[in-house]
Amino acid sequence: MAQNFAHGNYSHTQKKARNGGGGRTPRDRARRELSQNFLVDRHALELVVKAAAPEGLVLEPGPGEGVLTLALAEAGARVVGYEIDPRLAGRLAARTRDDPRIDVVRGDFTAARAPREPFAVVGNIPYSVTSGIVDWCLRAPALTSATLLTQLEYARKRSGDFGRWSLVTVRSWPWFRWRLGDRIGRESFHPVPSVDSAILRIERRPEPLVASRRDYQQLVELGFGGVGGSLRASLRTRYQGVDAALAEAGVARDTVVAFVHPDQWVRLFERLHR
């Protein structure tokens, strides 16, 4: 269930009620508070399921009315859906009561304890809590992948599609691949949101690209910290041989930190920690 409270995604009915002086029903108010935008396009649903290639245990944040939940189960997954809206959770639980492939939990996904067994996360997630859900996924030791339908701009930023790389992506790169999937138009949802979405795929690597998580992440955080006014100046506050490391990684001395590719960060780390 894509929820976009932060970006004001309300239905046309809600907009007319606001502008025309009409009142909202309790359900309208609840939908506004949770910013619920349900996936209603069958082709978009199929694209999400195809990207996820679900099998084994799958956790779904915000299953809503259960459209994606049922599709994941039909594709062979064992699905645990976390729904914060008690009304929707109750309806979906009643609907799937006799389906052993589906379990509905009434609560906040980001407060859930991560399973110890390997699992994936698949969801049409709330725009307003996207960062919280992504952070939860990156912290879960047994997570194999996350296939998330997010705001288009978020997916492009995290996957480097703008030619720039965010701290979140670079910091996690040795352990996770980030890929931009299909674009999903706003008309695929009801109520129709104000922005398009996209499928963001995060996959755990079979083997990490670096040996020390702590040392690598300290390097990245220092570089993004802006100490000294440039990446080169920041790194030179702690490391020797920075110029040689930048040259070996193919990074010009005046390169803005956001334009350094994650693979170049890995090479910088390897060179500076010899």
Side-chain angles (χ1 to χ4, degrees):
M1 163 178 44
Q3 304 171 346
N4 193 1
F5 183 58
H7 295 85
N9 289 350
Y10 314 131
S11 68
H12 297 303
T13 300
Q14 290 170 319
K15 287 179 180 178
K16 289 177 181 177
R18 179 182 60 199
N19 296 330
R24 293 190 179 93
T25 67
R27 186 57 192 155
D28 286 337
R29 288 192 293 271
R31 182 174 289 171
R32 179 180 181 181
E33 290 172 2
L34 295 175
S35 298
Q36 295 163 339
N37 299 86
F38 302 101
L39 188 61
V40 295
D41 180 72
R42 184 69 190 179
H43 178 62
L45 177 67
E46 291 171 351
L47 290 176
V48 175
V49 175
K50 180 180 179 180
E55 60 180 6
L57 177 61
V58 172
L59 272 54
E60 182 188 5
E65 297 177 336
V67 173
L68 179 57
T69 314
L70 293 170
L72 293 170
E74 290 170 2
R78 176 165 53 94
V79 187
V80 180
Y82 290 82
E83 178 53 61
I84 201 169
D85 184 328
R87 173 179 170 271
L88 290 173
R91 288 176 56 183
L92 183 57
R95 182 182 179 189
T96 59
R97 181 181 296 115
D98 298 324
D99 193 332
R101 305 169 300 178
I102 298 172
D103 185 23
V104 179
V105 177
R106 304 184 189 192
D108 183 354
F109 171 81
T110 59
R113 180 177 297 178
R116 293 183 178 182
E117 66 180 284
F119 71 98
V121 171
V122 183
N124 174 22
I125 65 175
Y127 290 165
S128 59
V129 293
T130 297
S131 294
I133 290 175
V134 169
D135 289 345
W136 187 98
C137 290
L138 296 178
R139 292 194 306 267
L143 178 88
T144 58
S145 68
T147 306
L148 307 173
L149 192 50
T150 74
Q151 185 179 12
L152 175 62
E153 183 178 3
Y154 180 92
R156 294 189 66 192
K157 284 181 178 179
R158 294 294 177 261
S159 62
D161 194 54
F162 288 118
R164 298 170 61 93
W165 298 91
S166 71
L167 172 61
V168 172
T169 306
V170 174
R171 194 172 185 272
S172 62
W173 189 259
W175 299 272
F176 293 95
R177 297 187 184 94
W178 296 69
R179 294 192 293 109
L180 178 65
D182 290 292
R183 180 169 179 162
I184 306 297
R186 66 196 73 184
E187 68 281 355
S188 297
F189 303 90
H190 179 78
V192 178
S194 59
V195 295
D196 291 337
S197 296
I199 298 171
L200 177 64
R201 176 81 173 168
I202 306 170
E203 300 172 347
R204 185 180 294 278
R205 299 182 187 276
E207 296 292 337
L209 301 180
V210 300
S212 173
R213 180 186 296 269
R214 181 179 62 86
D215 289 342
Y216 173 82
Q217 292 183 343
Q218 283 182 349
L219 169 72
V220 172
E221 288 163 3
L222 176 64
F224 273 86
V227 179
S230 69
L231 173 61
R232 177 174 178 263
S234 297
L235 296 183
R236 291 182 70 181
T237 63
R238 185 179 300 175
Y239 298 98
Q240 299 293 324
V242 170
D243 288 347
L246 289 171
E248 188 172 313
V251 181
R253 292 186 180 187
D254 60 349
T255 301
V256 175
V257 64
F259 291 99
V260 179
H261 192 283
D263 286 336
Q264 292 177 307
W265 278 101
V266 172
R267 291 197 289 273
L268 280 172
F269 174 79
E270 292 172 343
R271 177 63 174 78
L272 292 173
H273 284 82
R274 286 180 183 171

